[in-house]
Amino acid sequence: MTIKFECLCFLCGLVLLLAGCSRPLENLNRVSSPGETVFFVPNAKKMVALTFDDGPNGVFTARILDALHESRAPASFFVLGSNAERYPDLIKRIAAEGHLIGNHTFRHSRFDQVTKAEMEKDIADGSIAIEALTGMKPRWFRPPYGINGEGLEEACRRQGLVIAGWSLDANDWNPHPVEELVEAIVSQVTPGDIILLHDGWETRPDADRHLTAAAVPVIIDKLRQAGFVLVTLPELQRNTGVPLAVFENGIRLLGLQIPGKPLSPGGEFGARYFWDVPDNLPGTLPSAFVHFRKIRSKYFFQDDHDLNRRGDVRDLVVRRAVVVPSNAPAGKFEIMTGLFPPDAPETKDRLKVRSDFPQAQRAVYLPQALEILPLSGKPD
């Protein structure tokens, strides 16, 4: 009886594997064009990018640069033109030590509260100030507050700027203890993350960022201990990999993140999904189904959710709080996911998908495993 069951499992696995062996997926673009947005970059090398906003900022930017220099860790700084003019030696130091310098505007305007002309001028003034001090015209841009503003893509296209979002942050703009800042990053990080921190605070001179400055060397050490490699944004893109899945309408699942630690029944965990939705997709968007299925069992629980059209860069990542059912059995759970078109919930209606991972019934079976502990809280 055991032999028959194992043979059946092997045959089922072979069918799934063959179903997923259609034309291999291609890597994403290794260089983005002006006006495009980059918020997460899948890769297989455990690379992540540290980025800092709102500097340069006196002693605290200097402390962060000291930590980066000591650990030989590159980073990407999105600076304000007004702050660069206030601290010219710091902006020159950032450039001299090999970090990427991106434009974060001159004045830190809210793009949902200014005209298109004012937005374009703030962006242009930021680039002018950076180039005047460093001799380098920035190629990357991050909108203040992560708010795009109407016409941002066209403005950046005209000014030769790639738009940088982010996928992981510690909310350090709002002061938190160092331990919380470190935990927020280290407990969630996944390969391809663009990590947001702040070395300044808008245009305030000498803003207090001592907590972030103290957290940075700890974050670097812990990331490296976990096998992560720190790179600048261009380097992250040069090492881009393939998305998890590409659907027939052009939607791509670039990646996802779930906890690596075992969970208890009845507990809650955070999940991040990196969906890339084309700007020109017509009609109502499909919805995602996500099933956490116990391996070699019919039991599963769900985290189905809606997709969003591209909007502000701060909203591109789908963040979910998922509750593990109190009756969830102990063991490893695989992830099955796919897309349903609007008002068509039948299996046959699922969108066709390409993936390098196994498939069945237009669903992709991903290798990420979620582990559920027995009710005792101890592994079997």
Side-chain angles (χ1 to χ4, degrees):
M1 187 70 178
T2 303
I3 295 175
K4 290 183 179 179
F5 177 76
E6 291 178 350
C7 289
L8 180 60
C9 288
F10 171 78
L11 290 173
C12 289
L14 183 60
V15 170
L16 290 175
L17 181 62
L18 292 174
C21 284
S22 57
R23 180 165 55 95
L25 295 181
E26 302 82 11
N27 286 339
L28 302 178
N29 291 337
R30 296 185 183 275
V31 177
S32 290
S33 300
E36 292 183 1
T37 298
V38 178
F39 71 99
F40 175 82
V41 182
N43 70 79
K45 298 182 180 180
K46 295 193 77 171
M47 289 182 170
V48 295
L50 275 180
T51 71
F52 297 90
D53 280 10
D54 292 4
N57 176 39
V59 64
F60 301 109
T61 296
R63 287 181 188 174
I64 290 170
L65 287 170
D66 290 344
L68 295 171
H69 180 74
E70 184 175 347
S71 60
R72 298 184 179 180
S76 303
F77 288 82
F78 287 90
V79 306
L80 295 172
S82 56
N83 287 343
E85 290 181 348
R86 184 180 291 125
Y87 301 105
D89 291 342
L90 277 177
I91 192 71
K92 292 175 183 177
R93 180 183 171 187
I94 293 171
E97 294 184 358
H99 305 294
L100 174 89
I101 296 178
N103 181 356
H104 198 42
T105 73
F106 190 88
R107 302 166 190 82
H108 207 274
S109 305
R110 279 187 62 112
F111 286 170
D112 57 346
Q113 297 178 0
V114 299
T115 66
K116 286 184 181 181
E118 290 170 329
M119 177 181 71
E120 291 209 37
K121 185 176 188 307
D122 203 2
I123 297 170
D125 288 347
S127 288
I128 290 169
I130 292 168
E131 187 172 11
L133 290 164
T134 66
M136 296 180 293
K137 184 176 181 179
R139 186 176 177 273
W140 290 78
F141 173 77
R142 177 173 283 160
Y145 310 102
I147 298 173
N148 280 34
E150 185 180 353
L152 176 67
E153 292 81 4
E154 292 81 358
C156 288
R157 194 174 299 119
R158 285 191 289 271
Q159 297 192 35
L161 293 164
V162 179
I163 301 169
W166 64 87
S167 55
L168 179 61
D169 71 279
N171 288 324
D172 68 327
W173 57 270
N174 182 17
H176 290 80
V178 171
E179 296 78 11
E180 291 185 13
L181 297 179
V182 173
E183 178 67 13
I185 299 301
V186 174
S187 66
Q188 299 182 74
V189 67
T190 197
D193 265 327
I194 298 173
I195 299 169
L196 169 64
L197 294 166
H198 293 79
D199 61 324
W201 186 2
E202 300 172 8
T203 57
R204 294 168 173 81
D206 298 310
D208 185 358
R209 289 297 184 200
H210 77 279
L211 295 171
T212 298
V216 166
V218 185
I219 290 171
I220 293 171
D221 286 346
K222 288 186 175 294
L223 289 178
R224 284 181 167 165
Q225 288 171 17
F228 285 93
V229 179
L230 301 174
V231 295
T232 61
L233 282 173
E235 182 68 12
L236 189 63
Q237 271 211 296
R238 283 194 290 270
N239 286 275
T240 189
V242 298
L244 296 182
V246 177
F247 295 86
E248 59 181 307
N249 59 358
I251 291 177
R252 301 181 297 189
L253 178 58
L254 302 181
L256 60 85
Q257 177 264 324
I258 58 173
K261 296 180 180 179
L263 302 162
S264 298
E268 183 177 285
F269 66 89
R272 289 182 296 143
Y273 301 92
F274 311 116
W275 292 103
D276 179 45
V277 180
D279 292 328
N280 57 355
L281 201 64
T284 304
L285 292 182
S287 59
F289 66 91
V290 180
H291 293 179
F292 296 93
R293 301 174 61 95
K294 188 173 187 302
I295 296 175
R296 295 182 180 177
S297 169
K298 293 182 178 180
Y299 181 89
F300 68 91
F301 62 96
Q302 299 173 242
D303 184 35
D304 300 351
H305 55 267
D306 294 329
L307 303 188
N308 300 317
R309 294 192 181 278
R310 276 186 177 255
D312 293 336
V313 298
R314 62 183 179 181
D315 298 325
L316 293 177
V317 177
V318 177
R319 294 176 172 84
R320 303 280 297 174
V322 186
V323 177
V324 179
S326 58
N327 65 343
K332 292 288 185 71
F333 286 66
E334 64 185 351
I335 301 174
M336 182 184 80
T337 188
L339 295 179
F340 280 116
D343 304 317
E346 301 298 328
T347 299
K348 64 179 178 60
D349 299 318
R350 293 172 179 168
L351 297 185
K352 293 179 181 178
V353 59
R354 291 174 54 219
S355 176
D356 289 346
F357 297 104
Q359 298 175 41
Q361 297 180 317
R362 298 185 181 180
V364 178
Y365 289 74
L366 301 176
Q368 288 92 339
L370 189 72
E371 184 176 0
I372 307 297
L373 294 170
L375 286 173
S376 65
K378 299 178 181 179
D380 288 331

